[in-house]
């Protein structure tokens, strides 16, 4: 099946980033979100992102005009039935993702592959909410999507080889590098990354060092481009908490227990860059 139109459920940070990349690579995009303000913000961010591509010489003004003509923004999930391949990019919550997949499965064409951008939730479990588990796969993009080259690909227990091959092919057409991970809580990247971020938060919580010292140590001592607390703010503290909770429940190891300070920040609404306040304050 030739993929010309990509449907994306969720117009938040990840959804709009995936949409921008798909537009830059010549795909038609149906971007769906039930919140009109999320769609308005997505349009603004995608336009700005394409503008930066022009400044870098990656696109011409004419190509931007053509790309924007290939973008359709909708608030009705029924519109995704026109897509050849659908990527879910909603909040990292099991209940929300299960509900969205059930609805997408009902409206999508029977041969359409349904991919989840989940960063931790079982693909096998997500697939069980559909009538096409062989066509459900994990396609975990990194943030920010237009910049990061990696896409983690996860097969569920019933995912077919054909679905896997088509997803790898699409990933490469999007200019990304696919890496396969097994269907375990946190997959590969978050299995390694989240314990580091969580331990950095514990170090702050216990007064081992200031947030600036913790981040500076990792940047200068481990050659990381961004400190763990800065990275947590970029990812979203609510997302970090959700991933750690999935790993803690799924693996049963206390080393994945979320730091109380992380939970307190999320309860206060300090979610990172997207709210203007996390471990750092943003304007």
């Amino acid at each position: 099946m030739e993929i010309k139109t990509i449907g994306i459920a969720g117009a938040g940070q990840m959804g709009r980033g995936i949409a921008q990349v798909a537009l830059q690579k010549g795909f038609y995009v149906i971007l769906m979100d039930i919140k009109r303000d999320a769609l308005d913000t997505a349009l603004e961010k995608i336009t700005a992102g394409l503008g930066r591509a022009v400044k870098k010489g990656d696109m011409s003004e004419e190509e931007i005009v053509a790309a924007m003509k290939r973008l359709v923004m909708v608030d009705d999930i029924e519109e995704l039935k026109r897509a050849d391949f659908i990527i879910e990019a909603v909040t990292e919550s099991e209940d929300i993702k299960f509900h969205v997949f059930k609805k997408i499965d009902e409206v999508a064409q029977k041969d359409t592959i349904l991919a989840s951008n989940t960063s931790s939730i079982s693909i096998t479990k997500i697939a069980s909410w559909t009538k096409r588990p062989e066509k459900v796969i994990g396609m975990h993009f990194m943030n920010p999507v237009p910049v990061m080259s990696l896409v983690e690909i996860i097969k569920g227990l019933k995912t077919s080889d054909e679905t896997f091959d088509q997803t790898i092919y699409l990933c490469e057409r999007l200019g990304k590098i696919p890496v396969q991970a097994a269907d375990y809580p946190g997959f590969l990247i978050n299995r390694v990354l989240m314990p580091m971020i969580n331990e950095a938060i514990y170090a702050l919580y216990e007064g081992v060092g200031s947030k600036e010292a913790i981040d500076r140590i990792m940047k200068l001592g481990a050659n990381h481009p961004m400190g763990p607390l800065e990275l947590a703010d970029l990812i979203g503290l609510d997302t970090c908490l959700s991933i750690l909770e999935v790993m803690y429940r799924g693996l049963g190891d206390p080393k994945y227990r979320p730091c109380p300070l992380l939970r307190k920040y999320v309860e206060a609404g300090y979610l990172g860059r997207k709210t203007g306040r996390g471990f750092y304050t943003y304007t």
Side-chain angles (χ1 to χ4, degrees):
M1 181 178 178
E2 186 178 1
I3 300 170
K4 294 182 178 179
T5 301
I6 297 176
I8 301 169
Q13 193 173 36
M14 298 304 292
R16 66 188 182 231
I18 298 167
Q20 180 187 322
V21 169
L23 290 169
Q24 285 182 248
K25 295 300 180 180
F27 290 93
Y28 289 86
V29 172
I30 302 171
L31 182 58
M32 190 286 301
D33 200 295
I34 59 173
K35 298 178 181 177
R36 290 304 311 183
D37 58 340
L39 292 172
D40 292 340
T41 299
L43 180 60
E44 177 186 332
K45 297 291 186 180
I46 290 170
T47 302
L50 293 176
R52 287 191 290 273
V54 170
K55 289 181 181 178
K56 290 192 295 183
D58 295 335
M59 295 181 75
S60 66
E61 293 285 357
E62 293 75 17
E63 287 173 326
I64 284 189
V65 172
M68 295 307 291
K69 288 180 179 178
R70 295 194 301 272
L71 173 63
V72 177
M73 310 185 81
V74 298
D75 58 7
D76 184 355
I77 201 167
E78 290 273 347
E79 298 294 331
L80 293 177
K81 65 186 177 184
R82 296 184 284 137
D84 304 317
F85 192 105
I86 299 174
I87 302 171
E88 165 274 314
V90 301
T91 303
E92 189 70 1
S93 157
E94 286 191 349
D95 290 343
I96 294 173
K97 287 187 185 291
F98 297 159
H99 172 74
V100 168
F101 260 83
K102 187 174 185 297
K103 293 295 293 182
I104 292 175
D105 182 50
E106 291 170 357
V107 304
Q109 301 172 52
K110 65 177 183 178
D111 293 326
T112 302
I113 291 172
L114 311 182
S116 176
N117 184 56
T118 180
S119 50
S120 61
I121 300 169
S122 166
I123 300 302
T124 301
K125 199 170 182 180
I126 289 174
S128 72
W129 286 78
T130 75
K131 295 177 181 178
R132 64 181 88 193
E134 74 285 352
K135 291 188 173 295
V136 176
I137 194 165
M139 199 177 188
H140 178 206
F141 289 81
M142 304 296 115
N143 184 33
V145 181
V147 176
M148 302 296 282
S149 59
L150 173 67
V151 177
E152 200 172 23
I153 306 296
I154 308 98
K155 290 178 69 174
L157 194 61
K158 295 183 178 180
T159 305
S160 71
D161 290 340
E162 181 184 7
T163 294
F164 177 78
D165 292 342
Q166 286 186 309
T167 303
I168 292 291
Y169 178 58
L170 174 62
C171 192
E172 292 171 344
R173 286 182 64 192
L174 290 170
K176 302 299 183 182
I177 299 172
V179 176
Q180 186 177 3
D183 191 16
Y184 284 92
F187 312 132
L188 262 179
I189 188 164
N190 283 321
R191 182 75 175 264
V192 175
L193 178 63
M194 283 301 149
M196 182 192 73
I197 288 177
N198 198 39
E199 194 61 30
I201 299 171
Y202 266 112
L204 179 65
Y205 178 57
E206 296 168 0
V208 181
S210 67
K211 58 181 181 288
E212 293 85 2
I214 292 166
D215 282 341
R216 194 173 296 130
I217 283 287
M218 294 307 294
K219 286 190 285 188
L220 299 180
N223 203 29
H224 290 193
M226 183 178 288
L229 300 178
E230 293 173 308
L231 181 55
D233 277 355
L234 178 64
I235 294 169
L237 302 193
D238 53 337
T239 301
C240 291
L241 178 59
S242 294
I243 295 169
L244 284 164
E245 287 177 331
V246 167
M247 293 170 68
Y248 186 39
R249 288 195 304 269
L251 298 169
D253 193 319
K255 70 182 178 182
Y256 301 116
R257 181 172 65 91
C259 178
L261 182 61
L262 173 60
R263 197 177 300 279
K264 184 180 292 186
Y265 270 51
V266 172
E267 289 171 351
Y270 298 162
L271 308 184
R273 287 179 178 269
K274 59 188 172 185
T275 59
R277 170 71 192 271
F279 292 109
Y280 296 89
T281 301
Y282 304 89
T283 56

